[in-house]
Amino acid sequence: MPKIAYLNSKYIRFNSAKVHIEDRGLQFSDSVYEVVSFYNKKLIDFDFHTKRLKYSLKELKINFLFKRHNLKNIFHKLVNLNNIKNGIIYLQITRGVQPRDHVYLDNLKPNVIIYARNKKFHYPKNNFKGETAITYADLRWKRRDIKTVSLLPNILAKKEAAKKNAYEAILVDNNKITEATCSNVWIVKNNKLITHPSNSDILKGITRETLKKIINKNQLILKEISFTKKELYNADEVFITSASSFVTPIIKIDSKPINKGKIGNISLQLATLYSRLFLDE
Ligand code: PLP
């Protein structure tokens, strides 16, 4: 368990960190969040995460202004106070507290919650294996580009996956694959990569953006187009990306093996290249 958390400018014992019962994040999920990984105490893609955080805050008109370097200092301090080498930082900003009302008041004081937890990451050279997934209906709202804590459809889907001993639930909207409960989904067909375009139907994953650069640099072909459940089942390879799962190959979906149940070459290549960004060689 973490020892120290950050709550509204104070570093306090994790167990004593509390927010008000009329916090709008609690009552309306009126709140945004970010998850940033760190490896050997080094933050991964910090600048991209803060950029997306600014976007989420702006889209929901939550008044929280921050300086990037101040946030970075808080993250580093939490990593050090809790003495964690590899893990994730969870940051959540709620709109603030007011007597319960759907109409939010302007200029509320946001609650700022930040803490670090250790995590063992999954990457080539570290017991790298393929995972399984299920497909599940995408029941979410129409602004999935905003990283809000409104995650009920995601947690219901992920629980179904867990019940079936699967790692992820891949979400299907109108027979199109959008993404997964907490990761973006990619397929490989005839050596070409395909992933859903970044519009309001998906979260524009930070790992997705970083991987796009790697793909470009390595002269691989990427198409950002939507694909069907049938195309998913018939893909040569499938993998998911997220800040905490990095690049994770999927080798079985529902009862269908992908690439005969083995990690594909392109998935392995991309997982390796991605992990080189932060692994000490
Ligand atoms: N899609 C959803 C719905 C997510 O919740 C996440 C991460 O939590 C992602 C995609 C991957 O985003 P990132 O690479 O920024 O972690």
Side-chain angles (χ1 to χ4, degrees):
M1 195 201 294
K3 286 184 279 202
I4 305 289
Y6 174 96
L7 178 65
N8 300 329
S9 309
K10 292 201 176 84
Y11 294 89
I12 55 178
R13 276 197 305 119
F14 184 76
N15 280 342
S16 339
K18 306 271 189 295
V19 291
H20 195 279
I21 59 169
E22 282 195 312
D23 179 88
R24 293 188 62 87
L26 176 64
Q27 293 191 326
F28 297 106
S29 72
D30 192 354
S31 182
V32 301
Y33 78 109
E34 278 296 327
V35 175
V36 182
S37 290
F38 55 94
Y39 192 88
N40 271 338
K41 300 201 173 187
K42 216 178 119 211
L43 298 168
I44 301 175
D45 286 334
F46 173 81
D47 286 349
F48 284 161
H49 283 280
T50 50
K51 214 166 145 196
R52 185 172 64 188
L53 175 63
K54 281 198 175 149
Y55 174 76
S56 300
L57 290 165
K58 179 171 80 55
E59 291 302 297
L60 297 184
K61 300 184 176 62
I62 295 178
N63 307 308
F64 179 69
L65 299 174
F66 65 89
K67 292 234 162 36
R68 213 166 264 192
H69 67 270
N70 288 345
L71 206 55
K72 202 177 216 170
N73 286 343
I74 298 169
F75 283 16
H76 278 305
K77 193 159 172 182
L78 281 172
V79 167
N80 288 325
L81 284 173
N82 290 283
N83 198 19
I84 307 174
K85 209 170 142 207
N86 303 328
I88 55 127
I89 304 268
Y90 178 79
L91 166 145
Q92 184 178 343
I93 297 168
T94 80
R95 193 183 299 277
V97 177
Q98 75 176 80
R100 187 178 184 280
D101 192 340
H102 284 63
V103 182
Y104 64 83
L105 296 171
D106 297 323
N107 303 320
L108 290 176
K109 190 174 170 295
N111 273 320
V112 181
I113 301 157
I114 314 175
Y115 59 89
R117 270 193 187 278
N118 70 322
K119 178 161 173 50
K120 197 166 186 312
F121 293 112
H122 184 231
Y123 54 84
K125 292 188 184 167
N126 184 12
N127 189 24
F128 198 53
K129 56 183 178 65
E131 298 284 359
T132 63
I134 62 162
T135 54
Y136 198 83
D138 194 339
L139 304 173
R140 299 173 300 160
W141 75 327
K142 292 180 181 155
R143 289 302 309 275
R144 302 155 187 169
D145 52 320
I146 307 172
K147 197 161 168 73
T148 78
V149 299
S150 287
L151 293 171
L152 257 187
N154 309 51
I155 63 158
L156 294 177
K158 187 105 182 192
K159 182 67 182 174
E160 279 308 304
K163 277 197 220 158
K164 293 176 177 148
N165 287 323
Y167 183 78
E168 243 303 16
I170 294 176
L171 303 174
V172 190
D173 192 356
N174 258 328
N175 199 35
K176 293 273 161 56
I177 303 302
T178 47
E179 54 185 333
T181 67
C182 43
S183 54
N184 292 111
V185 178
W186 307 66
I187 61 173
V188 179
K189 191 71 188 175
N190 300 327
N191 294 319
K192 291 190 186 75
L193 289 138
I194 304 172
T195 196
H196 193 287
S198 58
N199 53 25
S200 54
D201 290 342
I202 66 159
L203 183 77
K204 189 175 177 179
I206 303 302
T207 321
R208 178 187 184 279
E209 292 308 294
T210 300
L211 200 67
K212 268 175 65 175
K213 288 191 189 141
I214 295 177
I215 287 167
N216 257 330
K217 228 173 136 184
N218 288 275
Q219 280 107 42
L220 290 163
I221 297 167
L222 166 65
K223 283 191 177 161
E224 291 182 74
I225 48 168
S226 59
F227 52 95
T228 63
K229 187 166 159 176
K230 191 169 168 205
E231 288 172 295
L232 175 76
Y233 283 157
N234 292 328
D236 298 335
E237 301 178 33
V238 177
F239 61 88
I240 55 165
T241 54
S242 79
S244 48
S245 290
F246 297 165
V247 176
T248 295
I250 298 295
I251 53 169
K252 193 172 135 203
I253 301 171
D254 299 328
S255 55
K256 291 245 175 208
I258 306 290
N259 191 40
K260 300 196 177 92
K262 291 204 176 76
I263 297 176
N265 290 338
I266 293 183
S267 310
L268 183 62
Q269 182 192 359
L270 291 176
T272 306
L273 290 170
Y274 181 78
S275 66
R276 278 198 199 136
L277 298 180
F278 53 86
L279 284 185
D280 298 325
E281 290 297 316

